């Protein structure tokens, strides 16, 4: 084996190790941010915004969509280890999918051409996609999982929505008037913060 081949192999190994460490660190930061939640006035109290997607987006923009999905996975895994689950893991899987529905499209679009314009387009598309996925997953998976976990009928969950928003009368309106605006606001907030922080942090991640 030539010296050049050995050197190239060592560089690749070091780069892969660096990426793994960064993914782990960003996942750890994300799970800490996940603990700080902000309730919203138009949705039941169990819908709270957190900023845990900001490190995930920054990592995905710097290292690619696959790295973003891995950071999201580590975040959910650490949260399960630290906090446990009340939905037998169903809600956590749904949260992983909803997070990825924002991060992966945004990072994929940005990777095609790394410009500020593409970053904005990616974040807008990611927010829209997350909103659609979030509505379907909440209606079909999350809400039924919560109802089962807490031993209450779906009507009781819908009633919690009606108590804060009279327009919520069934699962469909719950998704439209609670879940959709929740995800739109979350997408906008984490996107703005990511845009403000990315250029300052990305040089560290890119080495």
């Amino acid at each position: 084996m030539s010296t050049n081949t050995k050197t190239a192999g060592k560089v690749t190994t070091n780069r892969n190790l660096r990426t793994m460490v960064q993914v782990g660190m960003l996942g750890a930061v994300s799970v800490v941010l996940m603990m700080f939640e902000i309730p919203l006035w138009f949705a039941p109290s169990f819908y709270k915004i957190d900023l845990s997607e900001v490190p995930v987006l920054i990592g995905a923009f710097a290292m690619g969509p696959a790295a973003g999905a891995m950071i999201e996975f580590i975040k959910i895994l650490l949260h399960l280890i630290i906090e446990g689950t009340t939905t037998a893991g169903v809600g956590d899987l749904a949260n992983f999918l909803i997070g990825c529905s924002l991060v992966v499209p945004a990072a994929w679009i940005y990777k095609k051409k790394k410009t500020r314009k593409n970053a904005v387009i990616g974040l807008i598309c990611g927010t829209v996609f997350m909103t659609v996925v979030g509505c379907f997953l909440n209606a079909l998976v999350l809400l039924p999982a919560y109802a089962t976990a807490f031993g209450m009928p779906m009507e009781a969950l819908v009633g919690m929505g009606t108590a804060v928003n009279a327009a919520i009368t069934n699962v469909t309106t719950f998704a439209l008037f609670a879940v959709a605006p929740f995800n739109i606001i979350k997408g906008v907030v984490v996107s703005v913060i990511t845009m403000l922080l990315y250029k300052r942090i990305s040089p560290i991640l890119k080495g």
Side-chain angles (χ1 to χ4, degrees):
M1 184 181 290
S2 67
T3 302
N4 288 341
T5 302
K6 289 181 180 179
T7 301
K10 186 176 181 180
V11 169
T12 300
T13 300
N14 289 341
R15 186 183 298 116
N16 290 340
L17 180 60
R18 179 186 176 89
T19 299
M20 289 173 60
V21 170
Q22 291 176 164
V23 165
M25 289 177 62
L26 289 168
V29 173
S30 293
V31 79
V32 171
L33 290 175
M34 198 176 182
M35 298 175 184
F36 299 93
E37 300 175 316
I38 305 169
L40 295 175
W41 69 95
F42 57 79
S45 58
F46 52 86
Y47 281 96
K48 298 177 182 179
I49 281 182
D50 62 69
L51 302 179
S52 62
E53 249 65 61
V54 172
V56 185
L57 277 169
I58 290 173
F61 275 12
M63 296 178 283
M70 185 55 65
I71 297 168
E72 187 73 32
F73 174 77
I74 290 172
K75 181 191 82 172
I76 297 298
L77 180 63
L78 289 175
H79 184 261
L80 276 170
I81 293 170
I82 297 169
E83 298 288 336
T85 179
T86 57
T87 59
V90 175
D92 304 282
L93 175 61
N95 286 338
F96 169 75
L97 295 174
I98 292 170
C100 284
S101 68
L102 166 66
V103 172
V104 173
W108 182 77
I109 292 171
Y110 180 67
K111 185 179 180 181
K112 294 295 180 181
K113 190 176 182 181
K114 295 191 174 184
T115 62
R116 184 178 181 85
K117 179 181 178 181
N118 249 32
V120 172
I121 293 172
L123 290 167
I124 292 172
C125 290
T127 297
V128 171
F129 191 54
M130 177 179 69
T131 300
V132 173
V133 171
C135 285
F136 278 102
L137 283 179
N138 271 270
L140 300 177
V141 178
L142 270 178
L143 291 175
Y146 281 128
T148 301
F150 293 108
M152 62 173 67
M154 284 290 291
E155 291 77 11
L157 281 177
V158 172
M160 293 174 68
T162 306
V164 295
N165 186 345
I168 297 173
T169 56
N170 52 39
V171 174
T172 301
T173 52
F174 196 111
L176 289 175
F177 299 122
V179 179
F182 170 86
N183 281 299
I184 291 170
I185 291 173
K186 180 174 181 176
V188 170
V189 170
V190 300
S191 295
V192 169
I193 296 174
T194 298
M195 291 297 293
L196 292 173
L197 295 179
Y198 178 67
K199 286 300 180 183
R200 299 177 183 181
I201 299 175
S202 60
I204 301 172
L205 298 176
K206 294 175 181 178

